[in-house]
Amino acid sequence: MMMPITRRGALKGAALAGFPAIIPASVLGAAAPSKRINVGAIGVGRISRGHDMKEVLRHDDAHIVSVCDLDTRRLAEGQRFVDSAYAARRGAAYRGTRAHDDYRALLADRDVDAVLISTPDHQHARLAIDAVRAGKDVYLQKPAALTIAEGRAMVRAVEASGRILQIGSQQRGQEPWPQFHRACELVRNGRIGTVLRVEVGLPGDPAGPPAPAMPIPTNLNYDAWLGSTPEVYYTERRVHPQDSIDARPGWLRCEQFGAGMITGWGAHHIDIAHWGMDTELTGPVEIWGKAEFPRGGLWDVHGAFETHARYANGVLMTVSGTLPNGVKFIGDDGWIFVTRSGPVTASDPGGAQVTPLAASDPRILASAIGAGETRLRRTPEQHRDWLDAIKVRGTVAAPAEIGHRACSTCLLHWAAMKTGRRLRWDPAAERFVSDAAADKLLSRPQRAGYAIAV
């Protein structure tokens, strides 16, 4: 959420007399103040309130001290959301949450140890890079980046900083969906034989009507909201609803800000496919497929599609909206299918709910992992895993490189949709093989003042 620093740059909620910015352990529980992780939340809309801030607020050893949003109406609502949570826990009024309409002011706050980044996709990499360079640990909503080049720049910045970054790939945690860990562990231990194919089912997005230009709301810094992407006229349908926090925002269906559901849900399911295939640190070597794109209207991300990817180990991945939402591993001795027990947010498109964990033979699912077999790391809910890692300077379930590889694979499927031809990929060099035209899809032009050095 980069923006020029203005006189509004740091709205200090904690400046209200009599209310401390960092409250004592007696208020929040047994965690000593010296052990507590002070968290800033950048972006306080639907995902932050319904997921990221909500999860952090569960834990006494973390305290959300600051919130930031470039829509000041949402900013005020986010500040009230956090204050109300701590007031309920305290049993008394609390108004200690600081509020900033410029993320750089939040990053400059030495009281902030770590940040949640819950913004539109096109802002992810830039904010993560700036955050780790400011010495903050980061929980970054998926997908990792808008482009493959930005994702690689983000990984380099994290590695250079020594900070901890967790990608929001919550299907890896034992909470709320332990079936993904179970499925991947069974696959990795040969319960379906040698993996031959993986099928990934993702929802699509519909086209939308034209949306005329509208006056920019006075509470929204629209130039900063566009960030590195081209300047285009404001219309509410392109951004987020002004009268609702919970409604699905329009930017999710605009290619200027993301690639559509191929990265929106694909970052989750392809990450799980990689986990089961043991390809978390690489990517496919060949990609092809096709997709339908709207011929009119504001929303222009892909609709119906089917894409394919071949990996160096010979596994063929198919991703399509015609498949059940989830991941199916198919081997020469059976199959395992895994999906969520429910959606992250009610406003996400989904489809009919199916059995969360199934196999070609029930005995596969009852199989015990024996001594000497591969045991995948068990982690708690993804935010809890992140907080635990911060406290001991340890590892997380979905670090920057793993999140980047899941995202880059999604973007390779998107590149196949856009070109309509078979592409060869070098996962080590992260370039297309002898294809300068396709290489142009690895990055996008960036607006002056908001560019990421890639």
Side-chain angles (χ1 to χ4, degrees):
M1 294 182 156
M2 183 180 178
M3 65 186 71
I5 293 179
T6 68
R7 61 185 179 84
R8 299 188 306 153
L11 306 175
K12 299 293 186 179
L16 296 171
F19 295 97
I22 311 300
I23 61 180
S26 60
V27 173
L28 293 178
S34 62
K35 302 291 186 181
R36 190 181 299 123
I37 301 164
N38 292 327
V39 178
I42 304 176
V44 292
R46 179 185 71 134
I47 291 299
S48 186
R49 290 179 50 165
H51 185 53
D52 292 331
M53 290 197 297
K54 178 182 176 181
E55 290 295 337
V56 170
L57 285 167
R58 293 171 55 189
H59 304 293
D60 284 349
D61 58 351
H63 177 45
I64 298 176
V65 298
S66 298
V67 293
C68 176
D69 205 288
L70 44 69
D71 184 326
T72 55
R73 180 183 297 175
R74 289 190 165 209
L75 177 61
E77 291 173 349
Q79 186 181 35
R80 284 193 294 270
F81 176 81
V82 177
D83 281 349
S84 296
Y86 289 133
R89 189 178 303 182
R90 184 185 187 189
Y94 176 76
R95 290 188 293 170
T97 308
R98 304 171 187 176
H100 305 276
D101 63 2
D102 184 331
Y103 80 92
R104 294 173 297 178
L106 185 150
L107 294 182
D109 187 346
R110 293 185 179 182
D111 286 336
V112 175
D113 304 310
V115 295
L116 302 167
I117 297 176
S118 315
T119 65
D121 298 357
H122 66 291
Q123 303 276 15
H124 286 181
R126 178 56 186 263
L127 296 184
I129 290 169
D130 286 354
V132 297
R133 287 176 176 169
K136 315 301 183 185
D137 297 312
V138 174
Y139 187 97
L140 179 64
Q141 262 298 328
K142 58 76 207 165
L146 182 65
T147 68
I148 293 175
E150 288 181 12
R152 178 48 61 195
M154 182 270 292
V155 173
R156 287 196 300 264
V158 172
E159 291 175 345
S161 71
R163 307 316 300 174
I164 292 169
L165 184 142
Q166 171 93 295
I167 297 289
S169 188
Q170 65 266 34
Q171 292 179 169
R172 285 177 171 258
Q174 289 298 298
E175 180 192 344
W177 301 299
Q179 61 266 30
F180 289 99
H181 177 278
R182 177 64 172 161
C184 290
E185 201 167 64
L186 290 169
V187 171
R188 291 275 284 267
N189 283 289
R191 296 304 190 270
I192 60 172
T194 300
V195 178
L196 304 175
R197 294 186 290 121
V198 178
E199 295 179 347
V200 178
L202 301 176
D205 269 313
M214 300 170 62
I216 299 171
T218 57
N219 52 286
L220 175 66
N221 186 331
Y222 182 58
D223 184 75
W225 187 90
L226 289 172
S228 65
T229 71
E231 185 173 350
V232 290
Y233 69 83
Y234 172 82
T235 184
E236 186 173 335
R237 193 180 289 270
R238 192 196 304 278
V239 185
H240 55 248
Q242 283 292 310
D243 61 355
S244 172
I245 291 291
D246 299 321
R248 194 164 187 258
W251 65 261
L252 284 165
R253 293 168 174 165
C254 297
E255 277 204 332
Q256 179 165 342
F257 314 115
M261 293 305 285
I262 190 63
T263 52
W265 269 75
H268 287 302
H269 286 346
I270 287 179
D271 176 54
I272 294 301
H274 282 179
W275 202 15
M277 294 161 59
D278 194 15
T279 57
E280 297 166 281
L281 301 177
T282 183
V285 296
E286 194 174 19
I287 319 97
W288 66 99
K290 58 184 178 179
E292 297 176 5
F293 289 89
R295 297 183 179 181
L298 180 70
W299 293 337
D300 57 0
V301 295
H302 71 83
F305 75 102
E306 181 171 298
T307 53
H308 309 272
R310 180 84 62 185
Y311 287 73
N313 61 8
V315 175
L316 174 65
M317 175 188 290
T318 296
V319 187
S320 175
T322 64
L323 297 167
N325 189 332
V327 183
K328 186 175 186 179
F329 298 96
I330 303 168
D332 57 8
D333 198 24
W335 56 263
I336 292 175
F337 173 81
V338 63
T339 190
R340 296 181 182 183
S341 306
V344 175
T345 58
S347 59
D348 273 331
Q353 183 62 51
V354 295
T355 303
L357 184 62
S360 53
D361 186 333
R363 290 175 295 181
I364 293 174
L365 302 182
S367 173
I369 304 300
E373 291 194 289
T374 298
R375 291 186 179 272
L376 300 179
R377 179 184 169 200
R378 289 180 178 272
T379 58
E381 189 276 330
Q382 202 79 341
H383 298 80
R384 179 68 261 172
D385 180 56
W386 175 61
L387 295 172
D388 289 344
I390 291 173
K391 294 173 77 171
V392 301
R393 308 315 297 169
T395 59
V396 290
E401 181 69 30
I402 285 177
H404 166 63
R405 291 293 183 168
C407 179
S408 63
T409 298
C410 296
L411 290 169
L412 292 174
H413 284 264
W414 173 79
M417 295 181 196
K418 300 300 287 187
T419 63
R421 55 190 174 83
R422 193 174 290 254
L423 304 170
R424 291 185 296 148
W425 177 250
D426 181 340
E430 291 190 305
R431 307 286 293 183
F432 291 101
V433 177
S434 302
D435 197 331
D439 277 341
K440 293 179 180 179
L441 297 175
L442 300 178
S443 61
R444 300 190 191 187
Q446 299 183 81
R447 247 184 350 136
Y450 298 95
I452 302 169
V454 298

